[in-house]
Amino acid sequence: NLNSRLRNQAQQQYVPPPPPTSPLNHLQIQTDYDANGNSKSYTWLDQATIDILDERRVPMGQLTIDDVDSISGLMANWAKRKSAHSALQVEILLKRVVDDHNAGNASVNVTT
């Protein structure tokens, strides 16, 4: 049967779509080294960053003052790491606050 053959052929060629991309896909566990060359894993910092950026937890436009305080603390901790990865994390966290403000959340502000 031609329909059956075409259906089988289509099923064999079907490739499922990739999973949805997230702006958090690039976040990885960062390992830095102290002055003695010992590795230091910052998994807690990565996880806290992932958690605060998760829009399923706090939808865009709904950050609270406590969330912004947490983001500020995370930014300070990332800044201490002095790496390109850390600088990127600070930038991503700052962007989340700016985007939240731009989404209509007047209770959050970015200051220097």
Side-chain angles (χ1 to χ4, degrees):
N1 177 331
L2 179 60
N3 285 337
S4 176
R5 228 180 21 222
L6 289 173
R7 191 175 325 120
N8 286 340
Q9 186 179 17
Q11 287 174 344
Q12 291 172 356
Q13 293 176 353
Y14 176 75
V15 176
T21 58
S22 164
L24 306 179
N25 284 347
H26 66 281
L27 294 179
Q28 299 173 357
I29 302 305
Q30 175 70 28
T31 301
D32 285 340
Y33 297 90
D34 64 18
N36 298 322
N38 300 315
S39 67
K40 301 185 297 184
S41 180
Y42 297 108
T43 57
W44 70 270
L45 189 54
D46 284 294
Q47 189 59 55
T49 300
I50 290 167
D51 290 346
I52 199 75
L53 293 173
D54 186 353
E55 289 183 38
R56 293 170 298 181
R57 187 183 74 77
V58 181
M60 190 60 65
Q62 296 183 17
L63 284 176
T64 65
I65 298 301
D66 288 340
D67 293 328
V68 175
D69 286 344
S70 294
I71 289 173
S72 179
L74 290 170
M75 291 170 64
N77 276 285
W78 277 116
K80 292 176 186 175
R81 305 300 182 244
K82 299 180 182 176
S83 70
H85 174 79
S86 300
L88 180 61
Q89 300 314 304
V90 171
E91 192 172 317
I92 291 168
L93 288 163
L94 178 60
K95 184 178 184 317
R96 174 60 164 99
V97 176
V98 170
D99 289 348
D100 210 75
H101 180 76
N102 291 341
N105 187 349
S107 67
V108 298
N109 291 308
V110 177
T111 60
T112 56

